[in-house]
């Protein structure tokens, strides 16, 4: 028997549900901003590739666990039972980008470990790629809203400015 959504309509799998897609993108953007702060902080420190990789991976895992525990706690409080089945799949689908935010920095750190580039350059490149991804998501959102190229570019620049602000705060604080 097919499950029904709250509005009485057939429930869509998470990858087809617009609400789940929006929540998933929100988590990815949040994780990207957080990871920008982490890699900039690491670039200003004295960690080696192993320490930097451990920090990036544990940050992503910690973000994911915090989101998953919070989702499960909220669900349990509101619905009076643990999320299972479709509800649990949706939670896992939505929160998975919190883990994937570590992929880019991990690849860059691996390149540093292989002496392709310095660790500092790898970490700052990771931060730069994070800022670029914020710009792309902002532009994509602007285009999808029908604002035209100029407004889409402006939306991308505003989103990228958030990433740049995170970098500037971390650099000015010296950590």
């Amino acid at each position: 028997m097919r499950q029904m959504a709250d509005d009485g309509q057939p429930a869509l799998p998470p990858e087809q549900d617009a609400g789940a897609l929006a929540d998933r993108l929100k988590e990815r953007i949040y994780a990207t901003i957080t990871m920008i702060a982490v890699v900039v902080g690491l670039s200003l420190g004295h960690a080696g590739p192993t320490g930097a990789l451990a920090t990036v991976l544990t940050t992503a895992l910690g973000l994911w666990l915090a989101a998953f525990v919070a989702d499960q706690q909220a669900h349990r409080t509101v619905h009076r039972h643990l999320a299972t089945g479709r509800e649990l799949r949706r939670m896992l689908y939505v929160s998975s980008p919190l883990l994937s935010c570590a992929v880019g920095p991990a690849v860059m750190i691996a390149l540093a470990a292989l002496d392709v580039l310095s660790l500092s350059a790898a970490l700052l490149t990771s931060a730069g790629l994070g800022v670029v991804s914020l710009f792309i998501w902002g532009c994509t959102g602007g285009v999808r809203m029908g604002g035209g190229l100029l407004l889409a570019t402006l939306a991308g620049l505003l989103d990228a400015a958030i990433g740049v602000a995170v970098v500037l705060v971390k650099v000015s604080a010296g950590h």
Side-chain angles (χ1 to χ4, degrees):
M1 182 168 165
R2 189 164 183 175
Q3 286 190 324
M4 303 301 270
D6 292 338
D7 61 3
Q9 299 296 316
L12 294 172
E15 63 277 2
Q16 294 176 2
D17 175 36
L21 291 171
D23 289 346
R24 182 178 167 90
L25 180 57
K26 175 194 69 163
E27 295 292 357
R28 179 64 177 151
I29 291 168
Y30 170 74
T32 298
I33 293 167
T34 302
M35 196 57 72
I36 289 170
V38 169
V39 296
V40 170
L42 284 168
S43 76
L44 299 171
H46 303 291
T50 303
L53 182 61
T55 299
V56 164
L57 295 177
T58 57
T59 297
L61 182 61
L63 284 170
W64 177 77
L65 283 172
F68 183 73
V69 167
D71 282 348
Q72 195 61 272
Q73 170 101 14
H75 188 276
R76 185 174 71 230
T77 301
V78 171
H79 299 285
R80 299 180 182 174
H81 63 86
L82 290 173
T84 59
R86 188 185 71 80
E87 298 158 331
L88 181 60
R89 281 192 305 278
R90 184 185 192 284
M91 279 182 195
L92 293 170
Y93 176 77
V94 165
S95 66
S96 64
L98 293 168
L99 293 169
S100 66
C101 73
V103 173
V107 168
M108 297 308 296
I109 293 167
L111 291 174
L114 296 170
D115 287 328
V116 174
L117 66 164
S118 71
L119 180 58
S120 180
L123 294 168
L124 291 175
T125 299
S126 294
L129 292 171
V131 171
V132 169
S133 69
L134 292 174
F135 173 78
I136 291 169
W137 287 322
C139 284
T140 301
V143 167
R144 292 194 70 171
M145 289 176 57
L149 185 58
L150 180 62
L151 288 176
T153 302
L154 180 59
L157 290 172
L158 289 172
D159 284 3
I162 294 168
V164 170
V166 168
V167 170
L168 293 175
V169 166
K170 293 297 285 184
V171 169
S172 67
H175 57 81

